């Protein structure tokens, strides 16, 4: 007699014909891979998605490194200027140090956040931000060496060239890397414009301390 489907708890078995062997229903490729290896094989779409994520992480990490380099170069003349200003007038030097410290906060975030999101390591983000800020005391130390050796400060032309070069580097990083990446993660612009405005206000407030 023919067997009923109730006698086959595995729904994939087809009841045999009279005396014939049981036939297994064909399975899809993913199901076969799952039966053999315990999990369905990754398809082309999955591999493409994983590759895209890795590429995005590399771009974020590279952006963090570029920003760290530019800010490190930018901080060097600031440390030098703070040292020279403190020698001339300690009050002016203290005000300058506070102003630079305030605007170093968003600068450090620009370095640390891309590296953190690219690597998932808070320590790496912190260390790269710290490294970019170390150029300020190095600049102050070099200023001390220059004055000790020659008894004179660097010319104003040198300061102008240094700050001009750094300004160009920072603008290019903002226009070509920071803002496009921000809009990539906030395509509807719910936060980017407001955050950029807040950042500019913070920097403007720190620069106003130079005038006090």
């Amino acid at each position: 007699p023919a067997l009923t489907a109730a006698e086959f708890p595995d729904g994939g078995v087809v009841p045999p014909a009279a005396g014939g062997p049981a036939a297994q229903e064909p399975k899809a490729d993913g199901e076969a891979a799952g039966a053999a290896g315990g999990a369905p094989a990754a398809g082309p779409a999955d591999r493409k998605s994983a590759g895209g994520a890795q590429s995005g992480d590399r771009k974020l990490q590279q952006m963090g490194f570029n920003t760290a380099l530019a800010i490190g170069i930018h901080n060097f003349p600031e440390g030098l200027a703070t040292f020279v200003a403190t020698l001339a007038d300690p009050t002016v030097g203290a005000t300058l140090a506070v102003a630079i410290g305030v605007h170093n906060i968003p600068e450090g975030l620009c370095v640390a956040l891309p590296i953190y999101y690219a690597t998932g390591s808070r320590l790496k983000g912190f260390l790269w931000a710290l490294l970019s800020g170390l150029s300020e005391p190095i600049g102050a130390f070099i200023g001390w060496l220059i004055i000790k050796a020659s008894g004179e400060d660097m010319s104003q032309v040198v300061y102008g060239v240094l700050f001009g070069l750094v300004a160009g580097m920072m603008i290019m990083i903002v226009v070509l890397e920071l803002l496009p990446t921000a809009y990539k993660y906030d395509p509807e612009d719910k936060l980017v414009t407001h955050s950029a405005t807040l950042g500019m206000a913070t920097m403007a407030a720190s620069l106003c301390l130079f005038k006090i």
Side-chain angles (χ1 to χ4, degrees):
L3 299 178
T4 63
E7 298 180 50
F8 291 85
D10 185 354
V13 177
V14 178
Q24 188 76 21
E25 286 184 350
K27 295 185 177 181
D29 293 342
E31 293 177 354
D46 296 330
R47 289 192 292 270
K48 183 177 180 181
S49 176
Q54 291 177 357
S55 176
D57 289 346
R58 284 194 297 269
K59 288 181 179 179
L60 270 179
Q61 190 169 4
Q62 186 61 45
M63 183 183 70
F65 292 156
N66 292 342
T67 306
L69 177 62
I71 289 177
I73 298 173
H74 159 77
N75 285 343
F76 175 80
E78 285 185 347
L80 184 58
T82 303
F83 173 76
V84 173
T86 304
L87 286 181
D89 186 341
T91 302
V92 174
T95 303
L96 188 61
V98 171
I100 290 175
V102 169
H103 87 253
N104 278 350
I105 295 174
E107 287 179 355
L109 290 174
C110 286
V111 175
L113 289 179
I115 293 177
Y116 165 68
Y117 280 109
T119 64
S121 172
R122 296 181 182 180
L123 180 61
K124 287 184 179 179
F126 170 77
L127 290 178
W128 274 100
L130 177 64
L131 185 63
S132 71
L134 288 178
S135 59
E136 282 191 9
I138 292 174
F141 178 69
I142 291 177
W144 175 79
L145 291 177
I146 292 174
I147 292 176
K148 183 178 181 180
S150 64
E152 297 179 358
D153 185 16
M154 290 194 307
S155 68
Q156 298 300 309
V157 175
V158 175
Y159 278 117
V161 171
L162 286 175
F163 281 111
L165 288 173
V166 169
M169 293 172 64
M170 293 298 297
I171 289 172
M172 292 305 295
I173 287 177
V174 168
V175 172
L176 296 180
E177 295 192 10
L178 294 181
L179 284 178
T181 303
Y183 282 115
K184 175 183 176 182
Y185 288 96
D186 182 22
E188 297 182 2
D189 192 20
K190 296 180 179 179
L191 299 171
V192 173
T193 299
H194 298 296
S195 300
T197 303
L198 179 61
M200 289 187 286
T202 301
M203 297 299 287
S206 70
L207 293 175
C208 286
L209 294 177
F210 286 98
K211 306 298 182 181
I212 298 178

